[in-house]
Amino acid sequence: MSKGLITLVNPNLVHPPITPYALDILTTSLEDAGFDVEVLDLTFSRANWTEVVDEYFGRRQPMLIGVTIRNTDTIYPQEQRVFLGSHKKIIDRVRARTGSPVVAGGVGFSSMPYALVDYFEIEYGVKGPGEVTLVQLAEAIAGGRRPETVAGLIINHGPAGVHRVPHPDPVVSAGRVPLVQRVTPYRRHSGRPDRVDNLAYFRRGGLGNILTKNGCAFACTHCVEPDAKGNRFARRTEAAVVDEMETLLAQGIRDLHTTDSEFNLNITHSKGVLREIVRRRSRDSSSPLHDLRLWVYVQPAPFDAEYAALLAEAGCAGINVAPDHSRPELLDGWKVSSGGTRFYTFEDVRNVCRWASEYGIATMVEALLGMPGETPETMLACVDDFQSLDATVVGYTLGIRVFPYSPLGRELAAASGGEIAVPGLQSNDAEEPIVLTPLEGSADTVSYERQFMFDRHGRFRPVYYFSPHLLGEDERGPGRRYDHALALLWERVPQRDRLRVMLPTRPGLSPEDNNYADNPFLLRLTELGYTGAYWSHWPKRYQIMEGVPA
């Protein structure tokens, strides 16, 4: 007998569509706990989502509604497009059609959960992995128990504020390993109207997705993931991961990308997953794993020759490498382990590209320019270093999104102290100097988090950092742009290299625009049947935009 119906809503209206993997994960745990689950996915209904919401809640009244917030904004420094207004309209429409309580989660939500529970005016939130906490909340509601019994649950008490039920174990609270289902394969579906349609996402977005471990034990200064997901690696069993891969491949989803913070961190486990793929491929000539095209995100280290060989043998098609920079004076204290030590050199980046080239694996190497201490000299030296790599594509980002709980966000709030506009704080929407207050000096957690997304008048104003040493003479205001640094960057990349290089652009759509959200090149790719990581097709973008089929 069912314990009750739970509806999971995907409010993401951005295209190309990205599979809402979290809803498959949550559905698996809720079903295993005895609940009926239905998914209301609005991504493919962005022209008529109001009618879809009205029709669904006109016939269904669930006991609980879950909403996944994957992204708060594009994080693309030159565009700075915020999605929260769209998400709130959808949540408001849902709430107008039902009296059921709403709980939100997702990695974007988890970057500022107290502020978003308050902004969305919802009852509950879950920071980090939700498959255990959501089940406990559902069971509390079904059993008539108070939600305050659910450890880790964020609760909106209205005028009394937004508070989180403490975990009895602080290690669980920060690491969150026991909050991840690590043994059971997540159930993935295609073609079911009440579930995530994985094949539809693949056909419209070119990639499926797979999680091998959750969380991250490293402490890179700009990254939200250790705080948002957990600061320990929650490793899923190799068998569960590869079972799930086979399910997706059997449904026709042949390109899978890893959704780990980085696939090669905790390399022993990563090698175990690859060996399991290889073992099943070698044992069974009819296995769908022979069709696998795997796309992975990695750091430059740990990575060795054995790992490169395993990737190739398992069917890896592309590696996205994130060294961020080449200059040691910038990377020291920036790209670090939990102990504060930098864990790779630029020679490691060269080795990854070389090994990948030997095995015919495509590579994308990404630079993050404009970090603290960046000067025109260090930026141009980084460009020269990256252009010398044997990489399929090289990409540059200019500016850094600042979140409340990244080490960078905390440091900038401390430096600002509620009084000083720290040089480097920037937002295209800022109408006055950006002043941040540290958590311990804020009125409450909601106020601390809100200042990284909203100005004091309640308008959207996402906060970015951009080294003031890169500014032009006419770019000194809080809403300053990036034109001077853009010009330096574009001039530095030789014309002969332009086809294989992703360069940041001014706001607005163009053939060179590499922002993901509603990008015309990416939309054209999927229209023509291209699959795989979109960067792998970047060198042929002009041909593709003219309509050359896959």
Side-chain angles (χ1 to χ4, degrees):
M1 182 176 176
S2 170
K3 297 179 180 177
L5 171 64
I6 297 172
T7 299
L8 302 177
V9 179
N10 177 25
N12 188 0
L13 303 182
V14 171
H15 282 215
I18 299 174
T19 312
Y21 193 2
L23 301 190
D24 281 342
I25 294 172
L26 297 174
T27 297
T28 303
S29 292
L30 288 165
E31 284 183 330
D32 287 348
F35 293 93
D36 288 335
V37 186
E38 293 179 350
V39 170
L40 181 62
D41 192 346
L42 301 176
T43 295
F44 298 117
S45 304
R46 59 179 182 170
N48 66 327
W49 66 264
T50 55
E51 291 90 338
V52 173
V53 168
D54 291 351
E55 188 279 330
Y56 178 83
F57 288 103
R59 60 183 173 81
R60 304 294 273 168
Q61 287 296 310
M63 58 174 280
L64 177 65
I65 298 162
V67 181
T68 181
I69 307 295
R70 183 182 185 274
N71 297 102
T72 58
D73 52 277
T74 60
I75 316 183
Y76 187 66
Q78 282 64 60
E79 184 184 41
Q80 302 188 11
R81 174 181 166 189
V82 177
F83 302 136
L84 295 180
S86 170
H87 295 337
K88 181 166 171 55
K89 286 180 182 178
I90 291 170
I91 291 171
D92 287 349
R93 189 82 177 196
V94 169
R95 292 181 68 79
R97 298 297 181 270
T98 176
S100 304
V102 175
V103 55
V107 67
F109 173 86
S110 297
S111 68
M112 48 183 70
Y114 291 79
L116 294 184
V117 164
D118 178 74
Y119 172 68
F120 292 139
E121 299 177 282
I122 58 178
E123 288 83 358
Y124 309 116
V126 176
K127 179 173 181 173
E131 54 259 49
V132 172
T133 308
L134 184 59
V135 167
Q136 292 175 350
L137 172 62
E139 288 178 333
I141 293 172
R145 298 192 304 277
R146 297 172 65 245
E148 285 79 4
T149 61
V150 180
L153 184 68
I154 297 172
I155 303 177
N156 189 347
H157 294 285
V162 178
H163 304 283
R164 190 179 188 188
V165 181
H167 274 285
D169 185 345
V171 174
V172 173
S173 180
R176 307 195 184 104
V177 173
L179 305 180
V180 176
Q181 172 52 265
R182 290 169 286 157
V183 177
T184 303
Y186 303 133
R187 289 188 283 277
R188 317 296 295 274
H189 300 277
S190 294
R192 280 185 60 171
D194 62 341
R195 292 289 183 273
V196 174
D197 191 338
N198 282 274
L199 184 57
Y201 274 96
F202 176 62
R203 287 173 172 165
R204 299 281 293 277
L207 283 171
N209 44 22
I210 192 76
L211 176 73
T212 77
K213 61 184 177 299
N214 203 71
C216 184
F218 285 66
C220 301
T221 302
H222 63 294
C223 188
V224 303
E225 297 214 355
D227 175 77
K229 293 184 174 182
N231 62 14
R232 298 289 186 274
F233 292 119
R235 300 180 296 274
R236 300 181 64 203
T237 64
E238 291 90 341
V241 171
V242 183
D243 283 349
E244 193 177 330
M245 286 181 169
E246 288 188 311
T247 297
L248 291 168
L249 287 159
Q251 294 171 20
I253 302 159
R254 296 183 176 86
D255 292 84
L256 300 178
H257 79 93
T258 55
T259 63
D260 305 23
S261 296
E262 304 288 351
F263 184 53
N264 65 322
L265 298 184
N266 199 307
I267 194 169
T268 300
H269 176 257
S270 183
K271 286 181 177 180
V273 171
L274 295 172
R275 288 192 180 102
E276 179 64 10
I277 296 170
V278 171
R279 185 185 71 81
R280 296 192 192 189
R281 284 166 61 126
S282 61
R283 184 187 64 187
D284 182 0
S285 60
S286 64
S287 169
L289 289 166
H290 290 283
D291 295 326
L292 174 65
R293 286 164 47 86
L294 184 63
W295 304 82
V296 301
Y297 295 96
V298 304
Q299 287 294 323
F303 200 110
D304 54 28
E306 179 190 45
Y307 191 62
L310 279 170
L311 284 167
E313 197 173 0
C316 182
I319 301 171
N320 192 309
V321 195
D324 290 341
H325 214 282
S326 65
R327 309 305 298 171
E329 64 269 29
L330 269 71
L331 290 170
D332 287 342
W334 179 273
K335 293 297 291 288
V336 295
S337 67
S338 58
T341 303
R342 181 156 57 93
F343 55 97
Y344 62 86
T345 67
F346 195 65
E347 189 59 31
D348 293 318
V349 185
R350 291 192 187 280
N351 287 335
V352 172
C353 292
R354 175 174 56 82
W355 281 318
S357 180
E358 289 174 0
Y359 286 105
I361 300 174
T363 47
M364 162 74 165
V365 183
E366 295 188 86
L368 182 56
L369 305 174
M371 62 178 68
E374 187 86 274
T375 65
E377 292 73 25
T378 60
M379 182 179 79
L380 297 179
C382 177
V383 171
D384 293 343
D385 288 337
F386 273 53
Q387 292 305 122
S388 71
L389 293 169
D390 181 19
T392 309
V393 176
V394 178
Y396 298 99
T397 298
L398 195 58
I400 307 156
R401 178 72 165 91
V402 180
F403 286 98
Y405 301 110
S406 68
L408 178 64
R410 291 182 182 273
E411 290 168 11
L412 290 170
S416 186
E419 299 179 354
I420 300 168
V422 176
L425 288 178
Q426 188 272 342
S427 178
N428 290 349
D429 297 315
E431 297 180 2
E432 56 191 13
I434 299 170
V435 177
L436 301 175
T437 301
L439 179 59
E440 57 271 19
S442 298
D444 51 32
T445 309
V446 169
S447 301
Y448 173 71
E449 294 177 359
R450 278 184 63 89
Q451 65 187 331
F452 289 85
M453 177 57 79
F454 303 89
D455 67 14
R456 61 192 180 96
H457 304 291
R459 297 180 294 243
F460 291 129
R461 186 225 53 204
V463 176
Y464 286 74
Y465 182 87
F466 182 59
S467 174
H469 301 298
L470 298 179
L471 295 172
E473 288 302 319
D474 59 346
E475 299 176 311
R476 298 295 175 184
R480 55 184 168 248
R481 303 289 174 166
Y482 302 81
D483 287 1
H484 178 66
L486 281 170
L488 288 176
L489 186 54
W490 276 76
E491 289 168 5
R492 192 66 164 201
V493 176
Q495 192 67 40
R496 65 180 182 275
D497 274 356
R498 291 281 174 84
L499 282 180
R500 76 178 187 107
V501 176
M502 288 182 172
L503 288 166
T505 61
R506 292 175 179 82
L509 299 176
S510 75
E512 297 292 338
D513 177 20
N514 56 51
N515 175 41
Y516 190 92
D518 296 309
N519 183 297
F521 169 65
L522 272 67
L523 293 171
R524 188 65 177 145
L525 274 179
T526 54
E527 282 176 10
L528 295 170
Y530 288 84
T531 64
Y534 85 91
W535 57 259
S536 66
H537 306 296
W538 186 255
K540 295 182 179 179
R541 59 192 175 277
Y542 290 103
Q543 294 171 256
I544 291 168
M545 290 297 285
E546 291 170 3
V548 179

